Amino acid sequence: MASTQGTSVIGIMLYDPSRGELAPLVNVPALGSLVWESSRGSGTAALGAYLAAQAGSDIAAEIKQPGGTMHVKARCSKAAITDLWISTDIQIVAQGTAYIHD
């Protein structure tokens, strides 16, 4: 088993290409946490880059996640990813002020 010493965050993105679904799992070793997240923008971007690299061409995909669908577009030129976009609909679900004390 690999050591997580010195690692601040570990993300595992489980992708089902037949269903276009991504399940993001995030671990913070210092906190002992392991959380299934509702969506992951960085994981969606990484997946888009991977899909474009595998195809050797531009891609546009809808990636279903527990929190909703994210869209990713990647431009691939000469076996290199030159542009990458992610987008989704969002809504404000809470609003207020947080007070943080040391």
Side-chain angles (χ1 to χ4, degrees):
M1 178 173 228
S3 171
T4 60
Q5 184 176 2
T7 302
S8 59
V9 178
I10 300 167
I12 300 171
M13 306 296 141
L14 303 174
Y15 179 61
D16 180 346
S18 66
R19 297 172 61 159
E21 292 181 349
L22 181 69
L25 179 63
V26 176
N27 170 246
V28 180
L31 300 177
S33 68
L34 190 61
V35 177
W36 288 103
E37 292 197 340
S38 61
S39 63
R40 197 78 196 153
S42 60
T44 303
L47 178 59
Y50 170 79
L51 294 173
Q54 286 295 105
S57 62
D58 299 353
I59 63 100
E62 290 187 350
I63 308 300
K64 297 177 211 144
Q65 299 180 52
T69 299
M70 294 188 78
H71 307 273
V72 62
K73 292 181 183 179
R75 187 173 295 149
C76 184
S77 176
K78 298 179 184 174
I81 305 303
T82 59
D83 296 287
L84 187 61
W85 302 268
I86 60 170
S87 63
T88 191
D89 294 327
I90 62 166
Q91 60 183 344
I92 297 172
V93 296
Q95 190 171 349
T97 303
Y99 297 96
I100 301 172
H101 301 280
D102 292 17

